Amino acid sequence: VEIKAWVKNKRDSKIGISFIDIYDGSCFKHIQVIANNKLKNYTKDILKLNSGCSIYVRGTIQQSTNSQFEIYAQSLQIIGNVFNPETYPISPKPHTLEYLRNFTHLRPRTNIIGAITRIRHFVSQEIHKFLSNHGFFWIATPLITSLNTEGSGEIYACALSKVYTFGPTFRAENSNTTRHLAEFWMIEVEAAFLSLKNIMNLAYEILKSIFKRVLKTCIDDLNFLAKKTNIDLINRMKNFISSELFSIEYTDAVKIINNSSGYFKSSFIWGEDFSSEHEKYLSDIYYKKPIMIKNYPKETKAFYMRLNQDKKTVASADILLPGIGEIIGGSEREDRLQKLNLRLKEKNLNPDNYRWYQDLRMYGTVPHSGFGLGLERLLSYITGLKNVKDLIPFPRTPKNASF
Amino acid sequence: VEIKAWVKNKRDSKIGISFIDIYDGSCFKHIQVIANNKLKNYTKDILKLNSGCSIYVRGTIQQSTNSQFEIYAQSLQIIGNVFNPETYPISPKPHTLEYLRNFTHLRPRTNIIGAITRIRHFVSQEIHKFLSNHGFFWIATPLITSLNTEGSGEIYACALSKVYTFGPTFRAENSNTTRHLAEFWMIEVEAAFLSLKNIMNLAYEILKSIFKRVLKTCIDDLNFLAKKTNIDLINRMKNFISSELFSIEYTDAVKIINNSSGYFKSSFIWGEDFSSEHEKYLSDIYYKKPIMIKNYPKETKAFYMRLNQDKKTVASADILLPGIGEIIGGSEREDRLQKLNLRLKEKNLNPDNYRWYQDLRMYGTVPHSGFGLGLERLLSYITGLKNVKDLIPFPRTPKNASF
């Protein structure tokens, strides 16, 4: 075999044999190269190899007694040395995630960021595959825009029936939290002829399908992360896969919060939006499982969500995961032109800015529903890492755009 | 069967039977519904149906004499009417692409934009699938950036070996052409340990793989577009699939241009960049096939491209397609720290701004190569449409961001 890779660790025995762990990022596991002092450049090169050097090895591959594969080197060349090893930021010793954020160009060489990158890839692949297999077409929505709604994907659903977008999204708020980025990736799914119930069932199915895929493809990465975070990631996902979507009404969630016997200092007033503390209480403490809350007061939600028959709530729903909070938000859209115009008025929005949206209700309107899923939040659940800054290659936060 | 869809066309016979073509965007073909006057709402609803109405049909499906499928309606309900049919912008009569650009929210209901949307989807799916199957990981690179290079993907290749990005890209030039958008989608592929030759072969293979996929998945859409554009799209792609990458040196291309016996007014000076007219001459007129031009003068290319042994050219290459021009540009990157620093100096760039790039050459440098592929240009080749404004859902051009 021949392999080109980077050195992770090296151990030299006294009898002239070196054991070199190498990796190329293609999977979690490294592979061990065994090089002995019969190699011409053993003293000149191999004994001087440091963590981070890139090398080219030719040799034979053999299964060792503990059934790991090892490469017995017949030749070993250095491709790229590490100049000044003492300054190499990614030395083999453990580093904190905070420290690694200063080296976004080198941190993917670590076990942890490598694992996250592979998981992120397979999650994204599964999203594309699942939606394509279910008849959804990917739509590129523009970032340069004069709109301020979730409209572009919706527009195409009124022609192609099932569409989704998957791209970068921005948040212009000057706050620095572990749960928010200024630039993050979102999946938005929109389907004509589907109700809120239909679309949220699909949302739950896509989560299951993603978890199945990473359990199948990234098990070594997940085992490593489970140990690192001390969270039973594997069983948490397996339990989700065998679960069914559990939903409660917003109105009932309010009652549960107001019956929490002193957990919250003040009582919650119907019509307000839940804070992340309320959501945490409901999914982490009260139900201890993923839940969906539906039919929120119209005041808390956007104009385009469909007014329910009670005229107080809209057909909207959020899925909350223990430890994460809101992961998916969805709604059925207001497909009735007159009601839409009333809602625009209520929200003090200028109807002239929404002519395209009204057109879709004037010319062959259809019921349609959609949901949004934030990629980094989902990765937080899968990997157990709390800070979304570690879950995207180059995190952007207020006043930070380095690299 | 039951189906929810929009009305494309309707014809009412004198004996009380209506033939209604309906579509839901899932494929090119519409399906015909046959409704007769025994249906309760025949006079009230069905006779009044217009193009663009959304309907809900229940009935039986049968194969007609010409082996098309037809639905014999047992019930037909209107979901959404078309108010003021005379104002409906997407009436069944033919419209120009220019006209349709004024209605980006309704144009996906047309045959042509529907076809493009489906093709665009399957092209993108194939890109993800092909690269994932070849061991590439998808990386999200930031749009908010303080860099001005193609660097972010490259950084990750120096840890995970094979990576790609696929996302929106911007071009801040105040020019309005049929070949440029202010916001477009790019695929960038980067691989450690691969040479220019390796990466350009991969680029050629990905094109073949995309063409195979659309020929398999979108043949009805392609046949329609071939007729519309009067270009033999099917055989053009089939010929590409059975072709091999043909490459010439930049220096030889200059000779061909200067031997073009009066095609160009002035002689071409070695060291300059080709204009699109030169590229057109080489691929459309002289060779009449896809060609790759490689080893461009270092003055015409970016600092990060690897200096060749002649010290005049860099290891870069462009693939040109007849009728389109440049579709792919790639290069091997300068992996030698000293040479990189010299090139930065030559280009009057401040080395302090490229510390991250230098780090990668200081700590285990490796040869690496990459290429970029513009999605809309590729779609122009596949669909035969000349104007990239018709190949992206919401085109952004200078002074235009409507919808």
Side-chain angles (χ1 to χ4, degrees):
Chain A
V1 294
E2 56 175 61
I3 192 164
K4 291 170 180 170
W6 289 271
V7 173
K8 178 142 259 164
N9 269 309
K10 190 186 55 133
R11 187 167 58 81
D12 305 312
S13 82
K14 287 175 186 164
I15 56 166
I17 301 176
S18 292
F19 302 91
I20 312 159
D21 290 335
I22 60 170
Y23 69 97
D24 70 356
S26 60
C27 61
F28 181 79
K29 287 188 176 150
H30 52 244
I31 191 162
Q32 185 167 269
V33 172
I34 298 173
N36 67 35
N37 58 10
K38 285 176 193 146
L39 296 172
K40 271 187 285 184
N41 59 342
Y42 185 77
T43 311
K44 179 170 83 72
D45 288 342
I46 297 169
L47 278 181
K48 291 180 189 157
L49 275 181
N50 289 300
S51 176
C53 289
S54 54
I55 61 175
Y56 171 41
V57 181
R58 295 179 62 169
T60 55
I61 193 156
Q62 288 179 31
Q63 209 161 358
S64 75
T65 44
N66 62 1
S67 83
Q68 298 282 357
F69 286 97
E70 296 169 337
I71 297 173
Y72 287 82
Q74 285 160 352
S75 76
L76 189 159
Q77 290 166 31
I78 297 179
I79 299 173
N81 245 315
V82 168
F83 301 109
N84 307 326
E86 63 282 3
T87 66
Y88 183 46
I90 314 291
S91 61
K93 68 169 186 184
H95 302 289
T96 65
L97 288 166
E98 289 75 14
Y99 169 85
L100 291 175
R101 271 175 230 145
N102 301 312
F103 305 98
T104 43
H105 59 314
L106 293 168
R107 69 175 184 168
R109 294 183 179 192
T110 61
N111 282 334
I112 194 159
I113 304 292
I116 290 163
T117 307
R118 286 181 291 272
I119 291 170
R120 192 178 160 102
H121 169 75
F122 287 108
V123 166
S124 305
Q125 291 285 318
E126 185 59 28
I127 290 165
H128 286 298
K129 195 179 164 186
F130 177 95
L131 288 170
S132 190
N133 287 348
H134 282 73
F136 285 79
F137 297 107
W138 171 72
I139 305 291
T141 44
L143 297 178
I144 303 172
T145 179
S146 51
L147 287 180
N148 191 16
T149 76
E150 306 172 34
S152 303
E154 295 189 29
I155 286 175
Y156 261 66
C158 295
L160 287 142
S161 297
K162 293 178 172 182
V163 299
Y164 72 102
T165 71
F166 187 9
T169 316
F170 302 93
R171 179 178 182 271
E173 285 188 36
N174 192 9
S175 70
N176 227 323
T177 81
T178 60
R179 297 172 74 235
H180 295 98
L181 292 163
E183 183 175 349
F184 56 101
W185 278 66
M186 278 275 283
I187 299 97
E188 293 182 287
V189 174
E190 190 77 26
F193 310 112
L194 291 198
S195 66
L196 179 67
K197 193 179 168 187
N198 299 148
I199 205 78
M200 296 312 284
N201 281 335
L202 187 88
Y204 210 67
E205 287 308 309
I206 200 171
L207 290 178
K208 288 186 183 184
S209 157
I210 290 165
F211 297 157
K212 280 182 199 164
R213 175 80 174 257
V214 292
L215 285 170
K216 196 177 161 189
T217 329
C218 308
I219 194 69
D220 292 332
D221 295 306
L222 289 170
N223 279 323
F224 169 80
L225 289 164
K227 214 172 154 185
K228 196 97 183 169
T229 59
N230 213 13
I231 300 173
D232 188 358
L233 303 170
I234 314 283
N235 280 317
R236 184 158 84 169
M237 284 193 276
K238 282 187 178 166
N239 289 339
F240 189 100
I241 291 166
S242 60
S243 76
E244 296 207 7
L245 178 55
F246 173 83
S247 80
I248 56 164
E249 296 281 329
Y250 166 88
T251 302
D252 292 329
V254 171
K255 286 178 194 157
I256 291 167
I257 285 167
N258 283 332
N259 287 333
S260 64
S261 48
Y263 189 88
F264 295 104
K265 278 176 191 162
S266 52
S267 72
F268 186 91
I269 296 159
W270 194 99
E272 286 182 358
D273 209 355
F274 295 133
S275 72
S276 57
E277 283 310 303
H278 294 123
E279 293 181 344
K280 200 176 171 173
Y281 177 77
L282 291 164
S283 67
D284 294 28
I285 295 171
Y286 189 85
Y287 284 111
K288 296 185 178 64
K289 64 177 183 180
I291 60 169
M292 179 171 96
I293 304 176
K294 65 183 179 189
N295 297 325
Y296 284 82
K298 64 176 180 176
E299 289 77 14
T300 65
K301 296 287 179 180
F303 77 89
Y304 52 76
M305 300 192 182
R306 196 177 203 271
L307 193 65
N308 287 326
Q309 285 198 320
D310 62 15
K311 293 186 180 165
K312 291 177 189 167
T313 61
V314 288
S316 64
D318 288 345
I319 293 176
L320 315 181
L321 297 182
I324 299 291
E326 187 200 326
I327 183 101
I328 286 179
S331 72
E332 192 167 330
R333 320 308 189 183
E334 185 52 82
D335 56 316
R336 298 159 296 185
L337 183 59
Q338 280 193 319
K339 293 214 162 57
L340 180 74
N341 284 336
L342 282 172
R343 292 278 286 149
L344 284 169
K345 217 171 171 180
E346 273 180 18
K347 297 265 176 190
N348 281 322
L349 294 165
N350 181 355
D352 286 346
N353 295 341
Y354 298 91
R355 292 293 288 271
W356 51 275
Y357 208 79
Q358 296 166 311
D359 273 3
L360 297 171
R361 275 98 188 101
M362 278 189 51
Y363 303 123
T365 188
V366 293
H368 59 104
S369 301
F371 68 85
L373 165 62
L375 181 59
E376 288 75 23
R377 291 250 181 109
L378 173 61
L379 287 169
S380 176
Y381 186 76
I382 295 172
T383 63
L385 294 183
K386 295 277 174 244
N387 198 323
V388 289
K389 293 188 189 75
D390 303 317
L391 299 167
I392 192 165
F394 305 92
R396 266 70 182 107
T397 46
K399 302 189 176 78
N400 168 34
S402 50
F403 299 96
Chain B
V1 295
E2 55 176 62
I3 192 165
K4 291 169 180 172
W6 288 270
V7 173
K8 180 142 257 164
N9 269 308
K10 189 186 56 130
R11 189 168 56 80
D12 305 311
S13 80
K14 286 176 187 164
I15 55 164
I17 302 175
S18 293
F19 303 91
I20 312 159
D21 291 336
I22 59 170
Y23 69 97
D24 70 358
S26 59
C27 61
F28 181 79
K29 286 186 178 151
H30 53 243
I31 192 163
Q32 186 168 271
V33 172
I34 298 173
N36 66 36
N37 58 11
K38 286 175 195 151
L39 296 171
K40 269 186 285 184
N41 60 342
Y42 185 77
T43 310
K44 181 171 83 74
D45 289 340
I46 299 171
L47 278 182
K48 290 179 189 157
L49 275 179
N50 289 302
S51 175
C53 289
S54 52
I55 60 174
Y56 172 40
V57 181
R58 296 178 64 172
T60 54
I61 193 157
Q62 287 180 31
Q63 210 161 357
S64 73
T65 44
N66 61 2
S67 82
Q68 299 280 357
F69 287 97
E70 295 167 336
I71 297 173
Y72 286 81
Q74 284 160 351
S75 76
L76 190 158
Q77 291 166 29
I78 297 180
I79 299 173
N81 245 316
V82 168
F83 302 108
N84 306 327
E86 64 282 5
T87 66
Y88 184 47
I90 313 293
S91 59
K93 65 168 188 186
H95 302 288
T96 66
L97 288 165
E98 290 74 14
Y99 168 84
L100 290 174
R101 272 175 229 144
N102 300 313
F103 305 98
T104 44
H105 61 313
L106 293 168
R107 68 176 184 167
R109 297 184 177 190
T110 61
N111 282 332
I112 194 159
I113 303 294
I116 290 162
T117 306
R118 286 181 292 271
I119 291 170
R120 192 177 160 102
H121 169 75
F122 286 107
V123 166
S124 305
Q125 291 285 318
E126 184 59 28
I127 290 164
H128 287 297
K129 193 178 165 188
F130 178 95
L131 289 169
S132 190
N133 287 347
H134 282 74
F136 285 79
F137 297 108
W138 170 72
I139 305 291
T141 44
L143 296 178
I144 302 173
T145 179
S146 52
L147 289 177
N148 191 15
T149 75
E150 305 173 33
S152 304
E154 295 189 28
I155 286 176
Y156 261 67
C158 294
L160 287 143
S161 296
K162 293 179 173 182
V163 298
Y164 72 102
T165 71
F166 188 9
T169 316
F170 302 92
R171 178 176 182 272
E173 284 187 39
N174 191 9
S175 70
N176 225 322
T177 81
T178 59
R179 296 173 73 237
H180 296 98
L181 291 164
E183 182 175 349
F184 55 102
W185 279 65
M186 277 275 284
I187 299 98
E188 293 182 288
V189 175
E190 191 77 26
F193 310 114
L194 291 198
S195 66
L196 179 67
K197 194 180 168 185
N198 298 149
I199 204 77
M200 296 311 284
N201 280 337
L202 186 86
Y204 211 67
E205 287 308 310
I206 200 172
L207 290 179
K208 287 185 182 183
S209 159
I210 290 165
F211 297 159
K212 279 180 200 163
R213 175 81 174 256
V214 292
L215 284 171
K216 196 177 159 190
T217 328
C218 309
I219 194 69
D220 291 332
D221 294 308
L222 289 170
N223 278 325
F224 169 79
L225 289 163
K227 213 171 153 186
K228 196 96 181 169
T229 60
N230 212 13
I231 300 172
D232 187 358
L233 303 170
I234 314 282
N235 280 315
R236 184 158 84 171
M237 285 193 275
K238 283 188 177 166
N239 290 338
F240 189 100
I241 290 167
S242 60
S243 77
E244 297 207 6
L245 178 55
F246 173 83
S247 81
I248 57 164
E249 295 281 329
Y250 166 89
T251 303
D252 292 329
V254 171
K255 285 177 194 157
I256 291 166
I257 286 168
N258 283 331
N259 288 332
S260 64
S261 46
Y263 189 88
F264 295 103
K265 278 174 188 163
S266 52
S267 72
F268 186 90
I269 296 158
W270 194 100
E272 287 182 356
D273 208 356
F274 294 133
S275 70
S276 58
E277 283 309 303
H278 295 122
E279 292 181 346
K280 198 176 172 174
Y281 178 77
L282 291 163
S283 67
D284 294 27
I285 296 171
Y286 189 85
Y287 284 111
K288 297 186 179 64
K289 63 177 182 181
I291 60 169
M292 179 171 96
I293 304 176
K294 65 183 179 187
N295 296 324
Y296 283 82
K298 63 176 179 176
E299 290 78 13
T300 65
K301 296 287 179 180
F303 76 91
Y304 53 76
M305 300 193 183
R306 196 177 204 271
L307 195 65
N308 286 325
Q309 286 198 319
D310 61 17
K311 293 186 179 165
K312 291 177 190 166
T313 61
V314 288
S316 63
D318 289 343
I319 294 177
L320 316 180
L321 297 181
I324 299 291
E326 188 201 326
I327 182 103
I328 286 179
S331 73
E332 192 167 331
R333 319 307 190 182
E334 185 53 83
D335 56 316
R336 298 159 297 187
L337 184 58
Q338 281 193 317
K339 294 215 161 58
L340 180 74
N341 285 336
L342 282 172
R343 291 278 286 147
L344 283 169
K345 216 171 173 180
E346 275 179 16
K347 296 267 177 188
N348 282 321
L349 294 165
N350 182 353
D352 286 346
N353 295 340
Y354 298 91
R355 292 293 287 273
W356 53 275
Y357 208 80
Q358 295 165 314
D359 274 2
L360 297 170
R361 276 96 189 102
M362 280 190 48
Y363 304 124
T365 189
V366 294
H368 60 105
S369 301
F371 67 84
L373 165 62
L375 181 59
E376 287 76 23
R377 291 250 182 111
L378 173 60
L379 286 171
S380 176
Y381 187 74
I382 294 172
T383 63
L385 294 185
K386 296 278 173 245
N387 198 323
V388 288
K389 293 188 190 74
D390 303 317
L391 299 167
I392 191 166
F394 303 92
R396 267 68 181 107
T397 48
K399 302 188 176 77
N400 168 34
S402 49
F403 298 97

